[in-house]
Each structure stands twice: as structure tokens, then as C-alpha cells.
Amino acid sequence: MEAADRPLAGALPADVTAAMTAWYADSGTDLRTRTRVRRVEPGAVLLDDGSRLLADAVVVGIGARPATAWLAGSGVELGRHGEVVADAGLRTSLPDVYAVGDCASFPSGRYGERLLIHHWDNALQGPRTVAANILGTAAGGVPAVYDPVPYFWSEQFGRFVQYAGHHSGADTTLWRGDPAGPAWTVCWLRDGRLVALLAVGRPRDLAQGRRLIESGTPLDPELVVDPERPLKTATA
């Protein structure tokens, strides 16, 4: 049951999720979009249209919300999603107080906007920046800046799906491989540089692409779309 018009509507563009929608039917799964659940009852799920589906087990995926209500009145600034507002070094609005993980947003110089990332990789990377700033061990004595390449992964119907970057500001979308096949990659570029990619069954693309995002290396679109060419060699 999916309330939106497609799966992963909040994370990926429609042309990308269209390729994934076929995975459900191929696996024998009945995907129902634009379908809202009214309530869960013992042994059944009641939908908004009044129909009832029998269910032995129900898995609910409704996203994440930072549990920060306990910070009300503390002086720690909270954002519109209830997250802790941190600066580029993950400092909060209170002196000597830092925030890491999916409870905190931070300004990304790479993407030119404030990011709030709900994935364990974000919680893994952030403490290194905080530790460097607390201990004063950042290179050259300059305060450490937190500006990672966002990352998440999922396994869907036997397919390994990986995503790195942030595609909202991209101006070009390129496909590597046939989305109807078992392995393909979508690359998002801005001003000729890779800003994000989604790799399905192509972990090498993900690893190489992540490094290209970090370096900001200009790419040649005609080389990028060749799935037989290593992505790292598609430079302009």
C-alpha cells in the first residue's frame, strides 16, 4: 500500500521510480498506489475506500521525525522539521554543544542548501568532525567542516540499490545501462559535474561516482552513458 502515486516518491524522480515499479509485479507483489490506510485491525488492514485486506503481519514505513521535544526551552535552535539546527562544524546555537546524526541539519557548501539526512552513514561520519573541533585537531588548526556526500542503500527484490549525493539541483540526467535490465545507473550532473547517482547492481559505479562527487571532476556526458566504460574514466 502506497499513499503516493509511486514508490519512493519522496526520494527519487518519477522517471527513475518508474523503472522500479515493475520489480513488484515481477516478484509477485501486488503494489497499490494512491492507497491510504484508515486503520490496522486484528488480522486485517482497513483502507480509506472501506475495503478490508486480510493480513497476518503488517509492516509500516512512515519515515522519521527527530525526537527533540525535550530540547524545548533549552536554547538549542530547532528547525521546521523539529531537527537541531547545526552550523558547518555541527555546533548548535549553544556554546560547546554539538549535534550529529539524523536529528541535526547542517549547511552543505557542496549543494548550497541545508541538509537533513536520515541514514546511519550520516551518524557515522559526523562524530569525526565534532571530535576534531572539540579537540582542536583539524588540519592546520582550521575548524573542521562537515560536508559529506550523502549515502544510502537498500535491497529490493534481490537488487542491490545504492545512492550517493543529492540530485535536487541537477540540470542533467544520464542513464548508464537499460533500466529494464538487472543492472543500471542514473547519474545527475550540474554544470558538467556529478552531484548524485543511483546504482542498481553496479557497486563499482557507486564507489567511483562517490569519489567523483567529492572531487568535483568535470565529466563528458557522452562517455558517462557508456555502461561498459568505468565511470572514473568518463572525465572531460
Side-chain angles (χ1 to χ4, degrees):
M1 306 298 110
E2 171 57 65
D5 61 348
R6 62 187 190 276
L8 297 173
L12 295 169
D15 57 342
V16 177
T17 58
M20 297 176 165
T21 301
W23 298 352
Y24 292 80
D26 292 344
S27 71
T29 300
D30 180 12
L31 172 65
R32 303 189 186 186
T33 58
R34 295 188 174 89
T35 301
R36 295 183 177 273
V37 174
R38 182 179 300 176
R39 64 176 178 269
V40 177
E41 302 175 341
V45 175
L46 182 66
L47 303 181
D48 255 5
D49 62 6
S51 60
R52 178 177 279 100
L53 301 177
L54 298 181
D56 296 320
V58 178
V59 177
V60 182
I62 55 174
R65 181 182 295 122
T68 55
W70 61 281
L71 289 171
S74 68
V76 173
E77 181 184 356
L78 300 180
R80 62 190 181 94
H81 299 293
E83 83 282 5
V84 176
V85 176
D87 69 8
L90 297 180
R91 302 171 186 83
T92 71
S93 55
L94 288 183
D96 301 323
V97 177
Y98 295 78
V100 298
D102 58 3
C103 73
S105 66
F106 59 92
S108 170
R110 177 179 287 108
Y111 293 107
E113 60 182 282
R114 180 167 288 274
L115 299 181
L116 178 60
I117 302 172
H118 296 300
H119 192 270
W120 59 260
D121 185 67
N122 180 43
L124 178 68
Q125 303 297 331
R128 298 169 180 167
T129 298
V130 170
N133 284 327
I134 290 176
L135 298 174
T137 57
V142 179
V145 172
Y146 188 63
D147 197 7
V149 174
Y151 169 77
F152 72 80
W153 66 272
S154 176
E155 186 174 348
Q156 300 188 21
F157 307 109
R159 296 169 174 84
F160 190 37
V161 181
Q162 297 174 285
Y163 177 95
H166 186 64
H167 66 268
S168 65
D171 54 35
T172 303
T173 302
L174 302 173
W175 293 75
R176 287 169 55 83
D178 182 0
W184 45 273
T185 296
V186 183
C187 296
W188 289 274
L189 279 63
R190 183 181 64 216
D191 298 329
R193 290 171 169 80
L194 189 67
V195 293
L197 79 161
L198 175 80
V200 177
R202 294 179 65 97
R204 185 172 297 178
D205 275 4
L206 190 286
Q208 295 179 6
R210 194 171 187 176
R211 288 192 288 271
L212 288 170
I213 295 172
E214 291 172 345
S215 66
T217 303
L219 299 180
D220 183 332
E222 293 186 3
L223 300 181
V224 170
V225 298
D226 181 0
E228 302 303 319
R229 172 185 288 273
L231 189 57
K232 65 182 180 181
T233 68
T235 55

